Amino acid sequence: MDYVQPKQLLREALETASRKADLSIRDMLLRGFLAGGILAYATSLVFVVVSQGQAPIVGALLFPVGFVILVLLGLELATGNFALLPVGLADGKVSFLKLLRNWTWVYLGNLAGSLFYAAVFYLAITNFGATPNSPLADLVKSAAQKKTLGYMAMGVAGWETAFLKAVLCNWMVTLGAVLALASRSTVGKIVAMWLPILTFFAQGYEHSIVNMFVIPAGKFLGAPITVGQWWLWNQIPVTLGNIFSGIFLTGLALYYTFRTVPPSATVTPAAESLPAEPPLEQVPTPG
């Protein structure tokens, strides 16, 4: 059958986690670079569509194309790995050091790919800086400032808001990463991934890898944002929020509800070896 049952899906998730944990640094960086660039490409598509007067929901319907491409190619996206690697850790198939190794190198690869595409995107839409002003450029600058200076203006509440929006975002993104295993056909995988990615993007939640493109691109286009403001008011809280939901709302939640416990684990060997106790004699009740 095309549909993969949840318990079988969990077994495949464990195998995927083991493979990801054993990747070489070169492969994590290269696959992370490509994933960051492709996701940035899909994000810029949304900006192009909205700048042409289309409703934001149209952009949300199109955005999952980037996620689908990178997953079908077997590339590495840190936000998806925030759920898959903890599943392997909980099952004993992935060590904590390997989990941190994967998260770190893939995150750096995603950052490099996103920055590369942001620079090329800037040069492309401004004709190498000759025409910096356009509706598209203004839209990207506005989004970048909202994601940084907007939160900064709210103080602690802004930091907390960025964190919470990141939690809500990656709950859906990690479901997309898991649902990629829920079908054995390419079409089935695409549909399964499309649903949660569309859901998060349409609501404007915060995705750390998407922001690696949006904020630098806005800065290239003239948004008055410093690197410190980018990281303090967006990248750090958003990454932490993405990690939280990946671990607890998807990875461990699915693992502990669908894992298969061997029957032998429910009876201890010591209990099996003890002889049955003889029945107690009936003692008359006083009175």
Side-chain angles (χ1 to χ4, degrees), residues 58-185:
V58 177
L61 285 166
L62 296 173
F63 174 75
V65 67
F67 188 84
V68 166
I69 291 171
L70 68 91
V71 170
L72 291 181
L73 282 175
L75 303 179
E76 292 292 311
L77 190 68
T79 45
N81 291 358
F82 291 160
L84 292 170
L85 273 293
V87 171
L89 179 65
D91 203 63
K93 290 181 168 56
V94 175
S95 70
F96 184 67
L97 287 178
K98 283 192 172 184
L99 176 146
L100 290 181
R101 173 178 175 270
N102 177 276
W103 284 3
T104 300
W105 290 111
V106 171
Y107 192 86
L108 291 174
N110 292 162
L111 177 60
S114 300
L115 289 173
F116 171 79
Y117 183 79
V120 174
F121 173 78
Y122 160 74
L123 294 173
I125 70 169
T126 63
N127 299 309
F128 272 75
T131 54
N133 297 319
S134 67
L136 176 57
D138 291 342
L139 192 61
V140 175
K141 284 192 292 184
S142 175
Q145 291 179 83
K146 181 180 177 181
K147 287 175 175 290
T148 51
L149 304 182
Y151 290 138
M152 185 175 72
M154 292 187 284
V156 174
W159 202 95
E160 293 170 340
T161 300
F163 176 86
L164 189 58
K165 285 185 175 181
V167 170
L168 295 172
C169 162
N170 214 35
W171 193 356
M172 290 295 104
V173 172
T174 50
L175 285 180
V178 171
L179 286 174
L181 307 171
S183 173
R184 302 196 185 282
S185 72

Side-chain angles (χ1 to χ4, degrees), residues 1-22:
M1 294 177 62
D2 181 52
Y3 172 62
V4 177
Q5 295 287 340
K7 289 191 175 183
Q8 177 60 34
L9 183 152
L10 179 61
R11 286 193 288 270
E12 294 191 15
L14 287 168
E15 293 174 5
T16 301
S18 296
R19 289 196 301 270
K20 287 177 177 289
D22 291 334

